[in-house]
């Protein structure tokens, strides 16, 4: 199991905005594309994953308990910002800290 499967902090810390072309039915989908129902329109060229801009952010696609066991419900279809984020990202430990998890070395 990867460390991310026991974490999930970044999916409950940051706004996740992406291009509508990555929505299901769009021109640049990964897998099946992000379900439209999981997104909110922001501008003509930007949509946002539901839940990621809440006062206590948590992506609607995140299943499980942060810091214990989590899963992305739309992993194969997750949008670019999620694909570009990993443990090498400087914001990884910021997200972990926000959720009371020890920083990764
Ligand atoms: S915050 Fe870091 S360790 Fe946690 S799920 Fe995101 S990338 Fe993985
Ligand atoms: S789509 Fe998946 S990887 Fe992206 S923020 Fe939501 S739960 Fe995390």
């Amino acid at each position: 199991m990867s460390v991310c499967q026991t974490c999930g902090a970044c999916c409950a810390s940051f706004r996740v905005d992406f291009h509508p072309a990555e929505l299901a039915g769009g021109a640049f989908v990964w897998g099946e594309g992000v379900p439209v129902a999981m997104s909110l329109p922001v501008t003509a060229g930007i949509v946002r994953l539901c839940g990621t801009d809440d006062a206590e952010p948590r992506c609607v696609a995140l299943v499980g308990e942060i810091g214990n066991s989590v899963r992305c419900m739309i992993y194969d279809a997750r949008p670019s910002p999620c694909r570009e984020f990993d443990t090498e990202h400087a914001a990884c430990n910021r997200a972990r800290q926000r959720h009371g998890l020890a920083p990764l070395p």
Side-chain angles (χ1 to χ4, degrees):
M1 187 182 273
S2 82
V3 65
C4 294
Q5 290 171 292
T6 64
C7 177
C10 52
C11 305
S13 295
F14 308 119
R15 248 186 345 234
V16 181
D17 289 353
F18 56 100
H19 195 276
E22 294 186 72
L23 290 172
F28 296 102
V29 294
W30 307 91
E32 307 270 292
V34 178
V36 175
M38 287 188 175
S39 72
L40 291 169
V42 179
T43 68
I46 300 175
V47 289
R48 182 166 294 161
L49 275 169
C50 292
T52 64
D53 196 31
D54 290 1
E56 304 251 337
R58 180 175 170 128
C59 177
V60 288
L62 187 70
V63 183
E65 187 190 340
I66 292 162
N68 183 15
S69 174
V70 291
R71 182 172 67 83
C72 172
M73 225 191 284
I74 58 164
Y75 190 76
D76 291 340
R78 71 199 190 287
S80 308
C82 305
R83 290 170 184 275
E84 287 157 14
F85 199 99
D86 60 18
T87 54
E88 302 296 308
H89 200 290
C92 165
N93 276 336
R94 281 216 309 276
R96 288 179 61 86
Q97 186 177 32
R98 179 185 180 126
H99 289 274
L101 301 171
L104 298 179

